[in-house]
Structures are given as C-alpha cells and as structure tokens.
Amino acid sequence: MPRLDPFFAEWSARRPGQRRSLDRADALLRELGLDRPRVPVVGVVGSKGKGTTATYASAALSAAAIGNVLVTGPSFRSYRERVRHDGTSVTEEELAGLASELDRGRLSLPPVEEFGGYLAPSGMFLMAGLLHARNTGARVCVLEAGMGGHRDELRLIGPEVVAMGKVFGEHLGVLGDTVPEIAREKAGVAGVHTQSLVSLPQTSEVEDAIGDALAEATGDAVRAETVDPDTQDAWPPPDLRPPGLSAASGVLGVAAADRMLGLLGEDRAPDGLLTRVLESVRLPARLSRHPVPGHAGEVIVDSAINGEGVAAALAHARAVWGGVDHVLLCLPDHKDVAGAEEALAGLRVTAVRLPEAHLRFDHALPDHWSRIDADAVTPGAVAALGDRVLALGTVYFTGRVLEAVEAPTDTLFGRG
C-alpha cells in the first residue's frame, strides 16, 4: 500500500478551529514548479454531478487522442482512483512516487504555524494530478473541485476551462446563505487564465451570480455559456448519456472537452470513435449495477443524497428489475433525509450508520425501518435482503458497498 502521509499529514494534525491555508498551498505549488507553466486545466465545479462531468470530459479528450490526467474525489475502493491517466487509476508505485514528490516539497516549506493553516487532502490530490501530468507528458488535466470557490485550491491552479454543474442549496450556510451566493462562490475558481466557462441551465438569479463572478475574475473578458441538454443538437445523444440525473452532467463534460480541444487547436474525435468510448463509460456508485459475490442477487449503487436523487434511483432500479426487494439507505442528518423518506414510502428500508465521528445520524426514522452499522454491510447481508437491492447514500457509504461486492473501479472507460 503506498504511503499516504503527505496527502493527509497536516489535515490529521490540524488544531481545533484551524482551516486550510491557500497561502501554504500556493507556496507548495511554487516549490513543486507547478505555478506556471503547466498543462491546461479543465476545472469542474457544481453542487452535484462533478465526478460524472469530469469523467465524460476526460473520456471525450481521450477519444480525441489528447492524453489527460483526471482527478476526482472522494475515492471508492482505493486512493489510487483519485488520480487517473486516460480514465485508469494510477498504480500503487505511481501514487507512492507522487506522494514522495509532494512530501519533499511540503517538508521544504516553513512550518504550518507560519501560514496559520494546513494543506488540505483534496488540494494535495489536485497537485498530484498536475505532477502526474508532468511526469507522463499528458496534455490536459481534468480536475474536480471540492466544494469550489475562492477557498478551493483549484482557484490557485487557475483552470482554462470551467465546467459549472447545476447549483442548488447543498452548501447553504457554508459557501453562502442563498443559492445565488453559493453559485457566485463556486464560480470563483475562475481567474485570469480562464478562457471559457460552460454551465448547465441555471435559474436566472444563479446565471446572474455566475456571470458577475466570471466578469470580476476575468476582467470582463469571458462570458458564461449555457449548455442545454434538451436541445436537439446537444451531444452526446440521450442513448450515450449516463442514466438518471447524471445525464445532463455527461453533456456538460463533453462540452467542456470541446472547449478545451478548441483552445488546443484540435478537433473532436470522429462520432464513431467518440461513441465507442462513451459507450464504454462505467461510473461507480452512479446507478452502477453489480452482482453480489457468492449469491444470485444484484445490487444497484447510487450516491443519491436528496429526495429527488433517491426517487430517480428508485425509478431506474424499477425500470431495470421490474421492482426492488430492499433499500439500503445511508444519509447523515445534514442530507435530505426527509426527502428520501418520502420517496421510499411503502418500501422495505434499512438505514445504515457510518462510524465517522463528524457525521450525525440522529434524524427520526420510520419505526418499520431496520437499522444497522456500516460494518455489517457484507455480501451475505446484502443477499439476505433479496435479489434486487438498491444501495443509496453518501459516497462514504457507497464506497463501502462497492468494496463489499468487489466492484471494479479502476477503469472508467476504454479508448475505443
């Protein structure tokens, strides 16, 4: 197992009230020689669907023979999944090498106390992606932001292309007190190097907030462009998009790749080749379907976190199977537990608790729901619930389910 201390060391040692330091992250970027020049970057932000958007952007670039490094988070079964080359996870040796490079740079910086904050793991993985691109000669990086905003390391990196997913109230009270405030904050990853921002359709208030932030960040040189999946010429066509609510994110990802190809002076891959690559995309925990080892049943896994997502996942499972025998649901209190409960009315449900100390599971649940701890989610336990089990909830949980059923997660797409 590769040594992961450099990614988590300062976060693990943080003091109460201490926050991530972008000044320290900026110093590390410069120490590593990643401030400039570096490969062009597609930066992905939004409230939901960032991983899907980033994956489809990476796939479309790979189809056009543009070697690229993809950074997403969090991981499902291995931290290697957070850094990929043309859709495939780095090896343990590659991740260990990246960790060593980061560690040498980190240890050469002044002490954490001089910056008043720590290096955050998500930012360290973004830098690992840039290092891997430099080491392998990749031409583009596709980087998924954390929450996004001016406090995100992606802002320091300065993406040439920004892909803005749908913005809703996922981070109310954290990134802003209203959805437009959240949108404005997320658009803050744009900067002087940004040449394009493509966005899924938003409310007029959110569009205005994004436009204002982009104008401020680029000196009014860039205008946001809306990519509407419902238009007739939107690509990819519906049969090549991911299922459920992720469909629009697939369209946004291809559009972002198109804008990057334009900046590079390259053409989109021929439709036949691009079709083959997009047909091969497999997104773990996004309505992904898996056999249960040693048993006849199947599980569909989806990282739905609100009532709308739960309802969409349920509709998908019913379309695939004709019905659902049981639902495993893991939503901490800060997610839309009430919305999920409404969407699952009348179904057999087991609520799952995670051990992470920062997550609360005190929301009152229906008396007829069962309750278990996450450690009890084993292949045998899943099979005992029926042949058609739907596992829904936070990524921390869906990753555990994927591990339990030994789901393949290292390769997201083929090369056509």
Side-chain angles (χ1 to χ4, degrees):
M1 186 70 177
R3 191 166 64 89
L4 296 172
D5 288 352
F7 294 100
F8 298 96
E10 295 189 5
W11 175 80
S12 298
R14 70 194 186 281
R15 299 189 304 274
Q18 194 176 51
R19 306 184 73 172
R20 70 203 303 157
S21 170
L22 287 197
D23 287 341
R24 187 164 176 78
D26 188 47
L28 181 56
L29 279 168
R30 287 185 276 108
E31 181 66 29
L32 296 170
L34 296 173
D35 45 340
R36 285 290 184 285
R38 52 129 180 91
V39 299
V41 169
V42 176
V44 182
V45 295
S47 298
K48 187 67 173 170
K50 297 190 296 295
T52 301
T53 298
T55 298
Y56 271 72
S58 176
L61 290 167
S62 291
I66 302 298
N68 64 89
V69 169
L70 169 66
V71 178
T72 58
S75 55
F76 294 105
R77 298 188 61 188
S78 167
Y79 286 114
R80 295 185 298 101
E81 302 163 8
R82 297 194 68 162
V83 182
R84 301 175 186 262
H85 194 285
D86 287 325
T88 298
S89 301
V90 295
T91 65
E92 290 192 0
E93 292 74 19
E94 286 171 328
L95 187 59
L98 295 171
S100 294
E101 287 188 74
L102 288 168
D103 214 21
R104 284 194 295 271
R106 182 179 71 87
L107 294 175
S108 69
L109 299 179
V112 171
E113 290 72 22
E114 293 191 21
F115 290 89
Y118 57 87
L119 292 167
S122 59
M124 296 291 276
F125 278 107
L126 293 185
M127 293 185 220
L130 293 176
L131 285 172
H132 193 57
R134 185 170 70 187
N135 294 345
T136 61
R139 295 183 62 188
V140 173
C141 270
V142 181
L143 305 180
E144 177 190 344
M147 285 191 292
H150 76 277
R151 288 174 290 182
D152 196 289
E153 288 81 1
L154 183 59
R155 180 182 68 80
L156 298 177
I157 293 168
E160 280 74 11
V161 175
V162 176
M164 175 73 71
K166 191 73 174 178
V167 181
F168 52 85
E170 170 69 1
H171 297 119
L172 282 171
V174 179
L175 294 183
D177 294 328
T178 66
V179 174
E181 287 180 7
I182 292 172
R184 182 182 179 89
E185 176 68 12
K186 287 181 178 291
V189 299
V192 296
H193 300 287
T194 301
Q195 300 182 56
S196 176
L197 185 149
V198 289
S199 171
L200 288 177
Q202 313 279 354
T203 66
S204 58
E205 295 83 2
V206 167
E207 285 183 356
D208 289 344
I210 293 171
D212 290 345
L214 184 60
E216 180 179 333
T218 66
D220 211 25
V222 179
R223 292 285 188 272
E225 176 187 355
T226 298
V227 177
D228 188 349
D230 292 332
T231 58
Q232 187 173 2
D233 60 346
W235 228 91
D239 61 329
L240 290 178
R241 299 175 189 177
L245 298 180
S246 295
S249 298
V251 176
L252 180 62
V254 173
D258 283 346
R259 302 312 178 272
M260 178 56 75
L261 289 169
L263 296 181
L264 296 174
E266 302 282 357
D267 295 325
R268 178 197 283 178
D271 285 355
L273 175 57
L274 183 54
T275 294
R276 291 194 297 274
V277 172
L278 296 186
E279 283 177 337
S280 74
V281 173
R282 298 293 180 267
L283 297 167
R286 295 176 181 89
L287 296 177
S288 58
R289 183 178 177 182
H290 310 280
V292 180
H295 302 275
E298 288 187 324
V299 59
I300 289 177
V301 186
D302 190 63
S303 300
I305 57 172
N306 57 27
E308 181 186 15
V310 169
L314 183 60
H316 176 78
R318 284 170 168 162
V320 170
W321 288 329
V324 173
D325 296 326
H326 207 103
V327 178
L328 286 169
L329 178 71
C330 181
L331 289 182
D333 292 347
H334 67 282
K335 302 296 185 183
D336 182 19
V337 183
E341 180 182 338
E342 181 179 355
L344 296 174
L347 292 169
R348 297 171 61 200
V349 179
T350 295
V352 183
R353 296 176 295 255
L354 288 165
E356 280 75 11
H358 67 286
L359 299 176
R360 305 289 297 177
F361 292 88
D362 297 327
H363 191 282
L365 300 174
D367 291 337
H368 64 278
W369 284 17
S370 301
R371 293 158 178 79
I372 61 172
D373 290 328
D375 290 342
V377 179
T378 64
V382 173
L385 300 176
D387 290 340
R388 304 168 300 180
V389 177
L390 182 60
L392 306 173
T394 179
V395 173
Y396 294 105
F397 166 66
T398 55
R400 284 173 174 260
V401 177
L402 293 174
E403 178 69 22
V405 300
E406 302 174 12
T409 57
D410 272 340
T411 300
L412 297 180
F413 55 83
R415 296 291 300 276

